[in-house]
Amino acid sequence: MKTIQEPGQDSVVPGRKPVLELLDAAPGRVDTVFLQKGARGPEISQIVEICKHARVRFRLVERSELERLFSGNTQGVAARVREADYADFTTLLRAGREAPLPVLLALDQVQDPGNVGALARTLYALGGVGLVVPRDRTAFLGGAAAKASAGALARLPVAREVNLARALDQALDQGWEVCATVAGPEAVSLYDAPLRTPAVLVLGNEEKGVRPGVLKRATLRVTIPMARPFDSLNVAQAGAMVLGEFARRRLGQGRKD
């Protein structure tokens, strides 16, 4: 799949397991691995071996240098990475029909990289297509997102579009459904909704939800019914529930066939 390289903006992934997962999934994204002098253990040995095999630069540094890179607990290792490369959206639509779960996740100005990473992790595990995000006012897909995704973000293609609404028009023209999660009386309960694939699932900003211009493109609006009075779910939780329902329906169709 053709990707478009986005220059600049380094970020840091701390911790032994996250760095191992990143090296395993996408060693090409890693600029340098920093290892604290004196750090020991099987994971450290694995990291060094993978770096040597994949020709990823690594350095032994003092603890003070690691602390300058990342203020929290690094477990003696941190990787400096670049933001994810970007996939061509047209190619994503074409190839996405063959995914185990033909659902493409559109994040409309989702700001928290932890939410993006968690959603990528769920999407990858369920066999989803990939992500599409707007160019502006969206989370930086660097170290924090990569860590939260547990390596999934490095395995999923991500498209970045100047105009998300126009991208959804393109998806509609190619026969994709567009499903948006909203709160309100105009929405259908997730469990009663006619979830069809291939589909683009649109999730909105943590505070403002899906923008009106993007929402206009939705062929289906769904809401998650609450059994108790409650404000709302975190966008990553809500997205996981909707993706899980898409996967459940897909699995049920496969069994009937």
Side-chain angles (χ1 to χ4, degrees), residues 11-251:
S11 189
V12 174
V13 174
R16 300 185 181 196
K17 186 176 179 182
V19 170
L20 266 176
E21 289 169 338
L22 179 63
L23 286 169
D24 180 59
R29 280 193 60 201
V30 181
D31 173 64
T32 307
V33 174
F34 298 88
L35 297 162
Q36 183 177 320
K37 290 179 180 179
R40 298 286 184 272
E43 290 169 322
I44 296 293
S45 300
Q46 282 182 271
I47 288 169
V48 171
E49 285 304 311
I50 294 174
C51 285
K52 288 179 178 178
H53 180 75
R55 297 184 179 181
V56 173
R57 181 171 54 182
F58 67 95
R59 290 178 50 202
L60 299 179
V61 299
E62 300 293 341
R63 180 175 177 176
S64 58
E65 186 168 347
L66 270 182
E67 289 174 344
R68 283 197 296 273
L69 282 169
F70 187 80
S71 60
N73 182 18
T74 64
Q75 300 176 314
V77 60
R80 187 168 62 200
V81 300
R82 292 192 177 274
E83 191 174 14
D85 293 346
Y86 291 102
D88 177 71
F89 184 63
T90 302
T91 304
L92 257 185
L93 290 176
R94 185 168 58 249
R97 292 176 178 272
E98 305 303 318
L101 181 65
V103 175
L104 178 62
L105 191 57
L107 304 181
D108 186 23
Q109 296 189 344
V110 173
Q111 301 288 313
D112 186 340
N115 283 333
V116 177
L119 285 164
R121 189 173 185 173
T122 301
L123 185 69
Y124 182 77
L126 294 176
V129 178
L131 305 174
V132 56
V133 298
R135 185 177 295 274
D136 298 321
R137 298 181 182 178
T138 195
F140 174 60
L141 304 186
K147 182 179 180 182
S149 78
L153 197 56
R155 294 178 166 91
L156 281 170
V158 181
R160 188 163 76 164
E161 295 294 301
V162 174
N163 190 316
L164 185 58
R166 196 175 301 149
L168 295 178
D169 285 337
Q170 184 180 345
L172 288 166
D173 289 344
Q174 295 191 28
W176 287 63
E177 300 287 338
V178 175
C179 172
T181 57
V182 297
E186 78 280 7
V188 181
S189 165
L190 171 63
Y191 307 115
D192 298 326
L195 301 179
R196 290 183 284 269
T197 56
V200 182
L201 173 60
V202 185
L203 301 175
N205 175 271
E206 288 89 344
E207 294 182 6
K208 298 178 180 178
V210 181
R211 289 173 293 167
V214 173
L215 187 59
K216 279 170 60 177
R217 273 66 182 185
T219 53
L220 177 66
R221 301 180 186 189
V222 301
T223 188
I224 298 170
M226 302 285 186
R228 293 190 173 101
F230 198 64
D231 239 2
S232 66
L233 294 169
N234 172 286
V235 65
Q237 296 168 331
M241 291 180 70
V242 180
L243 287 169
E245 185 65 12
F246 265 108
R248 187 187 71 81
R249 305 274 186 97
R250 180 82 175 174
L251 181 62

